Amino acid sequence: MSAHGSKPLVVIGGGMTGLSTALTWACHQDAHARPVIVLEKQPIVGGFVTSFRRKGFLFDTTQLVPDISWALRRFGIDLEMVRMPGDCIRLFLADPVSDTTRSIGIPADLDGFRTLLTRLHPEELGPIHRFLESSSELFREVKQLKLEPSILDLLWIAATCPHVMQTRNQTFQQYVDSFGMRGSDIREVLGAFALFSALPGERVAAALGSSVLQSMMRGAWRPRGGFIELPLRMRKRLLELGGVLRTGALVDRILTNRGRVTGVRLSDGELIETDHVVTTIDPKVAMGRLVGDDVLRSIDRTYADKVESMRMTMSSMSIHLGLDDRIDLSSLGLGAAYNVLTTGGGTYEWLFRAAERGASDFSEDCFQVSVVCPSLAIGGKPTMTLRVIPMAIGDWAELRARNPQEYQRRKNAVADFFIERVEQYLVPGLRSHIVVRDVATPATFARYSGSPTGSNYDMAPYPDNFGRNRLRMRTPIRGLFQPEFSHGVWPSLLAGMQAVDALLDGKVLGGKAMGDNMEASIRAPRSPTREAPTSLMRVGT
Ligand SMILES: Cc1cc2nc3c(=O)[nH]c(=O)nc-3n(C[C@H](O)[C@H](O)[C@H](O)COP(=O)(O)OP(=O)(O)OC[C@H]3O[C@@H](n4cnc5c(N)ncnc54)[C@H](O)[C@@H]3O)c2cc1C
């Protein structure tokens, strides 16, 4: 970004990506001389990363993150993160015929993971070894990639990144299959990582599925005081550095003139002039509605087509349960960071196909639900969160608007179904321990984020929308940036850094997708805080 003057960098959205964008800017610029302003429509920052209280129980929307200490250090933020003890994932394979489960614990370290896979299928020792070596190499190569590669960079990639080249059009499942691993339990175990990629292994780009696996091998973490602590600390730090944060500020238009951005308009009519905007909201809304499809199309038809055809990730349902003190969660084997109760054998892919049609096709014979017990890691009153993934927006939003009573009835019926499954296979008598319950549907997520599909993880990382095939971050409108995939907190923090790196000609990550030294901390000037504190957000209903 060469000429900037005193016009601010405007960031639309105060979630993880928006906060990371603004903080990265303020860490590399004097934010008093070159201001940055975050516009957030909600009364609190954090977006999907938030916490809420019900009758003394603390619940988080988000459930775990890989190690994000590199980002916290870069921002100069001190936040106590608790490493989840035990396995990163525990798979519970339910057999509806015999009414039994068997479990497989997936450890959060590569050596333990290798031991697990070879114990499950000793006859596949060679393929397992080759797969894990390849996956580590792929992760290493991905870190070397340039975000906006030149022709020379592309030639360099072709010559030095064989794993990236080999997997560039593959799904994670095709990648796994290419090693000849056929064992059913191995497929279940590897498929579990796809849950964090927002697509089944049969759909997600190989590089993403593999990167999730590698990053989960560094452990799973939660902030000690609840996930809301993360955005609150980011906000505090941003304000210390001179950044400006406006909550309750809904952007309804991104203004352009002759192919370049000139400002944004808020819903109350206020105009903010700027030459540079980073939008971190649903890209279809930002480009199609805030810029306007006609405007975008008149500038770059191909980009407009890409925005139109690009698919967002699915939504989900969260069932938060506050439990009485009589329950002993620690005795139930649910201490892993993420427990997955599933009927297995392609269940996720089956449910996903139904969700693509806007339907839910779970039954007592085919279901999947993730079970997390945050209080086991961070203490406090016993809590349990059930995550039902995937779930399409379908008619949830319309139903809530048209017939609130029927909406309540249906969401409670779905919640009951999954609570019963957990009771049947994992926690005998669960229902008798429930003191508080709060259910969020795809309509909740759509309303909260402003994404009409209630998408939980931004753009869907199919191979045809990933890597070189993705929607470019530098939009065809000069000065307007749309950070890449925000598949979770870790990638969102990175996406914000990538956006500023593009704005500041490589000053942050050296033009790389991830940057060389994720451990390096950046010293930044201090200045007084300006913004009133906010309370915990209520996100249910
Ligand atoms: C239920 C749930 C559980 C999850 N669990 C995990 C997990 O365990 N681990 C993990 O890593 N990730 C998890 N994720 C995903 C993770 O939370 C997201 O990937 C990440 O928070 C996305 O951050 P973001 O800033 O890109 O988007 P968002 O969080 O959606 O933030 C966008 C912000 O923009 C604001 N906004 C929208 N439109 C406008 C507008 N017109 N004007 C002004 N502001 C606007 C919104 O209010 C919002 O605050 C979960 C997501 C959900 C929904």
Side-chain angles (χ1 to χ4, degrees), residues 9-327:
L9 165 65
V10 170
V11 180
I12 306 177
M16 285 297 104
T17 313
L19 288 173
S20 171
T21 304
L23 260 173
T24 305
W25 178 265
C27 284
H28 285 83
Q29 303 289 303
D30 176 355
H32 298 285
R34 308 182 85 191
V36 57
I37 173 166
V38 178
L39 301 171
E40 166 55 51
K41 71 178 171 62
Q42 295 285 357
I44 189 171
V45 290
F48 277 148
V49 176
T50 195
S51 309
F52 60 100
R53 282 193 188 278
R54 295 277 185 280
K55 294 186 184 166
F57 290 91
L58 177 70
F59 298 111
D60 290 317
T61 45
T62 321
Q63 296 307 321
L64 58 94
V65 286
D67 184 358
I68 56 165
S69 56
W70 58 275
L72 298 178
R73 274 198 295 273
R74 277 188 170 231
F75 296 143
I77 291 175
D78 186 22
L79 174 65
E80 188 188 358
M81 298 291 294
V82 180
R83 185 174 174 151
M84 312 277 280
D87 297 327
C88 68
I89 304 174
R90 181 161 281 268
L91 265 181
F92 291 89
L93 294 158
D95 178 358
V97 177
S98 61
D99 203 17
T100 56
T101 52
R102 67 188 176 91
S103 74
I104 303 174
I106 306 175
D109 73 278
L110 264 178
D111 286 339
F113 188 54
R114 187 189 309 267
T115 307
L116 168 72
L117 295 185
T118 45
R119 186 167 53 73
L120 289 174
H121 289 282
E123 72 285 3
E124 298 193 348
L125 184 66
I128 290 168
H129 183 74
R130 284 195 294 280
F131 167 73
L132 289 177
E133 289 296 305
S134 171
S135 171
S136 297
E137 277 301 296
L138 177 56
F139 194 46
R140 189 189 58 76
E141 288 176 11
V142 165
K143 289 190 206 163
Q144 304 301 314
L145 298 182
K146 288 277 174 72
L147 201 61
E148 298 180 309
S150 64
I151 300 281
L152 271 182
D153 292 327
L154 291 175
L155 290 172
W156 179 85
I157 292 167
T160 62
C161 298
H163 300 82
V164 167
M165 295 303 288
Q166 179 212 328
T167 56
R168 66 189 188 282
N169 295 317
Q170 276 183 339
T171 64
F172 184 57
Q173 192 60 57
Q174 287 167 338
Y175 177 49
V176 169
D177 288 347
S178 71
F179 293 88
M181 291 185 291
R182 299 276 174 259
S184 56
D185 279 351
I186 286 190
R187 297 174 82 88
E188 294 291 356
V189 165
L190 293 175
F193 290 98
L195 266 178
F196 301 107
S197 322
L199 289 177
E202 290 82 354
R203 316 290 185 103
V204 71
L208 187 71
S210 185
S211 300
V212 169
L213 188 158
Q214 292 291 332
S215 53
M216 291 297 292
M217 289 298 128
R218 288 154 176 79
W221 308 71
R222 309 179 72 102
R224 165 78 66 198
F227 264 96
I228 189 66
E229 287 297 322
L230 176 58
L232 290 183
R233 295 294 174 94
M234 291 173 81
R235 180 192 66 171
K236 181 169 179 282
R237 183 69 181 133
L238 175 63
L239 299 176
E240 281 171 2
L241 294 172
V244 177
L245 231 160
R246 287 180 55 184
T247 49
L250 174 72
V251 177
D252 75 0
R253 195 79 193 167
I254 296 172
L255 305 165
T256 61
N257 186 16
R258 297 184 188 186
R260 76 160 304 139
V261 76
T262 57
V264 297
R265 189 184 69 200
L266 302 189
S267 57
D268 64 2
E270 181 185 347
L271 299 179
I272 299 175
E273 277 185 48
T274 181
D275 297 329
H276 296 92
V277 171
V278 176
T279 164
T280 70
I281 67 173
D282 181 322
K284 280 184 181 280
V285 175
M287 296 299 151
R289 208 185 292 163
L290 269 52
V291 170
D293 181 61
D294 49 339
V295 174
L296 188 60
R297 208 158 274 284
S298 70
I299 295 166
D300 187 334
R301 178 171 290 274
T302 314
Y303 195 89
D305 285 345
K306 179 85 183 163
V307 171
E308 200 174 285
S309 63
M310 187 257 304
R311 285 161 289 175
M312 297 295 289
T313 54
M314 287 288 171
S315 197
S316 65
M317 180 180 258
S318 291
I319 305 157
H320 300 285
L321 305 176
L323 305 171
D324 64 24
D325 291 332
R326 290 180 296 118
I327 196 162

